[in-house]
Amino acid sequence: LDLLSGSKSDINNVQTEFEGFNNPSPITIDEFKALLPGKKVVILEYSVGDSSSSLWVITKSSHRLFRLPPRDKLQEQIETIRFSLTDPSQNISDYLSEAGSLLYNELIMPAEPFLSKKSTLVVITDGVLNYLPFEILFDKKPSKGDSFADIQFLVRKYPISYAQSANVLVRIEARRKVRESPEKNYKFIAFADPVYENLQDKSGPRFQRLEYSTREVEDISLLFPEGTADIYLRDKATEENFKQNIDLNKF
């Protein structure tokens, strides 16, 4: 919020998007709880530190602060779990089994008293935790010979989404309500599966095709009324076509 407040934009038609960020002030816990979208939402907000880290668990009716391990201990386990995921075709490695359950115990278990079968998790990460896919944590170590299909990953228990901060989450929720109002009639615009071959030279990085992004934006477009989605795929997903639609306030 401080960065956005201090930045100066020369693009007139998006300047209004930043007006609400001028002189930002932190939201209080009581204000945050009152603005949560529903009783089933559980916020897990982390702060990573040198001597210890912390977790705020916040629901519409309660909140609690927990102390967590310091940065270096978390980073070691996160690097281990990321290394173990580099070859998902293999069975569960000892690295994943150990790190996945340990990080669950450290990061998720304190929040379990606040969770129910119908809970929805919103994770607000910090520092090295931004490199951790919380979805693949699990509370029970797998048995020898288990495959990925056998593990009760966190994402199989709860829907999970992410936010940058409590303030940003509240602002996004407020904008969502405005955009969903009947009188706005916003359209959907998406750019997917671009053609990289013509943009790359031999000395530059090689980008792999994002072929599944086509299905992703097509599925999202089904959430909008017929005729209100503009989708640009492959050779039409270009910078030029994006700039032609620079008035993004209507999308």
Side-chain angles (χ1 to χ4, degrees):
L1 288 172
D2 289 339
L3 289 172
L4 288 172
S5 178
S7 67
K8 300 297 181 183
S9 174
D10 295 325
I11 306 176
N12 294 330
N13 62 346
V14 298
Q15 201 162 15
T16 55
E17 298 288 335
F18 295 96
E19 289 176 357
F21 291 107
N22 291 331
N23 303 315
S25 57
I27 189 171
T28 68
I29 288 182
D30 288 337
E31 290 172 338
F32 188 38
K33 287 160 63 174
L35 293 170
L36 286 181
K39 295 181 180 179
K40 299 176 183 178
V41 175
V42 180
I43 306 295
L44 305 180
E45 180 163 7
Y46 297 89
S47 178
V48 178
D50 292 331
S51 58
S52 67
S53 302
S54 60
L55 163 64
W56 280 103
V57 181
I58 306 172
T59 69
K60 205 156 183 71
S61 59
S62 61
H63 65 273
R64 187 173 174 184
L65 177 64
F66 296 92
R67 186 172 181 175
L68 304 180
R71 178 185 292 105
D72 55 352
K73 184 177 181 182
L74 293 174
Q75 182 167 349
E76 180 182 353
Q77 297 301 324
I78 292 171
E79 289 176 352
T80 299
I81 206 169
R82 286 170 60 85
F83 169 77
S84 66
L85 292 173
T86 55
D87 187 4
S89 64
Q90 300 296 320
N91 284 338
I92 304 303
S93 67
D94 293 337
Y95 297 108
L96 178 61
S97 177
E98 186 68 28
S101 59
L102 181 59
L103 284 169
Y104 183 97
N105 293 339
E106 293 172 344
L107 301 176
I108 304 298
M109 187 174 288
E112 284 188 340
F114 297 83
L115 303 178
S116 68
K117 291 183 178 180
K118 296 183 178 180
S119 293
T120 296
L121 304 186
V122 178
V123 180
I124 302 175
T125 58
D126 178 48
V128 67
L129 292 178
N130 284 293
Y131 295 95
L132 174 66
F134 279 71
E135 292 86 347
I136 55 90
L137 300 181
F138 46 86
D139 55 348
K140 295 180 181 179
K141 284 188 178 182
S143 303
K144 210 162 190 177
D146 280 352
S147 67
F148 285 93
D150 300 317
I151 299 182
Q152 183 69 1
F153 290 112
L154 186 63
V155 72
R156 290 179 171 162
K157 299 171 67 174
Y158 311 105
I160 301 173
S161 59
Y162 294 85
Q164 292 78 14
S165 72
N167 270 29
V168 171
L169 180 61
V170 167
R171 293 177 185 275
I172 289 174
E173 180 65 15
R175 289 187 60 193
R176 182 187 66 81
K177 291 179 179 178
V178 171
R179 289 181 181 273
E180 289 182 354
S181 59
E183 59 273 11
K184 287 296 180 180
N185 296 320
Y186 283 102
K187 298 177 65 178
F188 173 67
I189 188 170
F191 299 80
D193 194 11
V195 177
Y196 287 128
E197 288 78 2
N198 299 332
L199 303 177
Q200 299 176 166
D201 55 47
K202 294 181 180 180
S203 61
R206 308 301 297 176
F207 298 106
Q208 295 183 355
R209 181 181 174 186
L210 303 174
E211 56 182 306
Y212 295 109
S213 60
T214 293
R215 178 174 177 182
E216 183 177 4
V217 298
E218 288 176 345
D219 286 351
I220 294 173
S221 70
L222 298 177
L223 302 174
F224 292 78
E226 187 175 354
T228 63
D230 292 347
I231 298 178
Y232 295 81
L233 304 175
R234 299 299 288 151
D235 57 349
K236 295 183 180 179
T238 63
E239 181 180 355
E240 289 74 17
N241 281 336
F242 176 82
K243 288 180 176 179
Q244 290 177 6
N245 292 281
I246 194 62
D247 185 16
L248 298 177
N249 288 324
K250 65 182 180 180
F251 290 100

